């Protein structure tokens, strides 16, 4: 088997678990590729298996069966940009904090590797959103798994985001900004803006204002077959666009539109993990003395 690994620097407490992962893969004669920056971080701290090679963004991952993302949800979002339209299966190993997208805890690494090799998993396609701007600001990385945000920058003044769906005027949001979220991103920034939680296979987007000045304005769910476009107005001359963990300053004259990307992110779902149990565990749902412990 051929496996690619991406990750972010980890603390000493996580090192033994990552070493276990490498040893398990080596014992199964796995061909291992590690993204170059992470390889440089790991080299003085861990025993890397013989024959380990490196890759960079843009390199072909031809022949890779799985991509392992070591870190938190932000690391997995970055991993999606390395995989792109290749749609390679991604398994998240959580050495971060909350870990909605990275379901494998460090002490579950051996079981997770065993599940990969035995085929005890399913693949779950997650929709991506795509951002088109004129002029182009995100380049080839104009897609994201969680959300697209328009935000005020370097000013206490609110902004107005005039929003259109398929060319028809929807609303002008007077707020600190606006978030367009996928179902996967519904547990992220959108959730903190009062947006609903959506099941991953829901074919919708969420439009959620950030700190709106109009209290009667609420998050809106629209079909992900829609094209959502925007015009920005405010006292400042520049604003901030954010796509998952990437952000760029722009001028108000930039035109932008959001639609569903033509390809998906493919996540590995181990058989003992499901979205509903993740909600209960990560958001502490069910922590009520009236509920039987067997249901929590």
């Amino acid at each position: 088997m051929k496996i690619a690994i991406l990750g972010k620097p980890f603390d000493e407490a996580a090192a033994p678990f990552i070493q276990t992962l490498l040893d398990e893969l080596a014992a199964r004669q796995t061909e291992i590729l590690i993204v170059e920056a992470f390889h440089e971080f790991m080299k003085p701290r861990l025993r890397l298996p013989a024959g380990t090679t490196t890759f960079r963004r843009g390199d072909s991952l031809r022949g890779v069966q799985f991509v392992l993302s070591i870190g938190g949800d932000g690391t997995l979002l970055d991993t999606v940009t390395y995989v792109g339209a290749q749609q390679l299966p991604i398994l998240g190993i959580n050495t971060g904090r909350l870990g909605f997208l990275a379901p494998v805890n460090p002490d579950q690494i051996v079981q997770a590797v065993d599940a990969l090799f035995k085929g005890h998993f399913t693949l779950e396609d997650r929709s991506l959103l795509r951002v088109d701007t004129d002029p182009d600001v995100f380049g080839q990385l104009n897609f994201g798994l969680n959300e697209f945000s328009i935000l005020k920058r370097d000013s206490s003044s609110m902004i107005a985001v005039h929003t259109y769906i398929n060319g028809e005027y929807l609303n002008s949001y007077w707020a600190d900004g606006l978030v367009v979220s996928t179902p996967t991103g519904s547990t992220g920034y959108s959730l903190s803006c009062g947006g609903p939680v959506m099941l991953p296979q829901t074919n919708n987007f969420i439009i959620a204002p950030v700190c709106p000045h109009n209290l009667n304005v609420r998050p809106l769910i629209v079909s992900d077959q829609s094209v959502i476009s925007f015009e920005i107005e405010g006292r400042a001359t520049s604003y901030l666009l954010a796509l998952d963990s990437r952000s760029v300053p722009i001028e108000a004259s930039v035109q932008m539109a959001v639609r569903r990307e033509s390809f998906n992110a493919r996540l590995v779902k181990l058989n003992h993990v499901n979205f509903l149990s993740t909600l209960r565990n990560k958001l502490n749902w069910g922590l009520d003395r009236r509920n039987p412990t067997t249901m929590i």
Side-chain angles (χ1 to χ4, degrees), residues 12-270:
E12 292 184 7
F17 298 104
I18 309 305
Q19 186 66 64
T20 297
L21 170 65
L22 296 173
D23 293 344
E24 279 289 319
L25 295 177
R28 298 170 187 263
Q29 300 181 331
T30 308
E31 184 179 348
I32 302 173
L33 295 78
I34 304 177
V35 71
E36 191 172 69
F38 193 44
H39 182 273
E40 291 303 307
F41 174 81
M42 296 169 73
K43 190 162 57 175
R45 295 170 174 83
L46 300 174
R47 300 183 309 277
L48 300 182
T52 298
T53 57
T54 63
F55 68 97
R56 297 180 179 179
R57 186 186 298 279
D59 289 351
S60 172
L61 296 176
R62 186 185 303 274
V64 169
Q65 278 90 21
F66 298 99
V67 179
L68 304 185
S69 173
I70 302 175
D73 287 352
T75 307
L76 194 140
L77 295 176
D78 193 38
T79 299
V80 169
T81 67
Y82 278 83
V83 172
Q86 299 176 82
Q87 297 191 138
L88 299 173
I90 301 170
L91 176 64
I93 297 173
N94 183 31
T95 59
R97 287 167 289 188
L98 199 56
F100 263 101
L101 301 176
V104 177
N105 293 323
D107 59 358
Q108 300 172 319
I109 283 176
V110 174
Q111 298 94 310
V113 171
D114 191 56
L116 289 184
F117 279 82
K118 290 181 177 179
H120 295 169
F121 61 87
T122 56
L123 297 179
E124 189 172 78
D125 283 348
R126 300 289 186 96
S127 61
L128 303 169
L129 53 75
R130 168 181 163 182
V131 180
D132 295 307
T133 61
D134 185 17
D136 183 18
V137 296
F138 288 110
Q140 294 183 341
L141 301 181
N142 65 334
F143 57 91
L145 177 59
N146 262 13
E147 73 270 316
F148 167 69
S149 306
I150 303 170
L151 303 167
K152 68 178 187 179
R153 177 172 183 255
D154 300 331
S155 171
S156 60
S157 301
M158 72 181 75
I159 60 177
V161 184
H162 308 299
T163 306
Y164 303 81
I165 297 179
N166 297 328
E168 295 187 10
Y169 176 66
L170 168 65
N171 189 28
S172 293
Y173 293 93
W174 292 88
D176 285 353
L178 193 70
V179 176
V180 179
S181 168
T182 66
T184 299
S186 70
T187 55
Y189 194 6
S190 174
L191 183 66
S192 69
C193 296
V197 175
M198 291 200 296
L199 297 181
Q201 302 309 317
T202 308
N203 296 318
N204 292 305
F205 289 139
I206 303 168
I207 302 174
V210 180
C211 300
H213 190 255
N214 306 95
L215 298 182
N216 59 344
V217 173
R218 291 292 181 263
L220 177 69
I221 297 175
V222 301
S223 167
D224 65 7
Q225 299 305 304
S226 307
V227 177
I228 309 169
S229 54
F230 312 94
E231 297 173 354
I232 311 174
E233 178 187 347
R235 295 178 183 175
T237 58
S238 65
Y239 308 93
L240 195 68
L241 297 188
L243 183 54
D244 284 351
S245 55
R246 307 178 300 282
S247 61
V248 291
I250 62 150
E251 301 299 317
S253 59
V254 172
Q255 298 180 344
M256 66 202 80
V258 172
R259 70 193 72 207
R260 180 168 177 166
E261 183 55 275
S262 60
F263 54 87
N264 299 316
R266 186 158 290 165
L267 304 186
V268 174
K269 187 170 79 72
L270 302 181

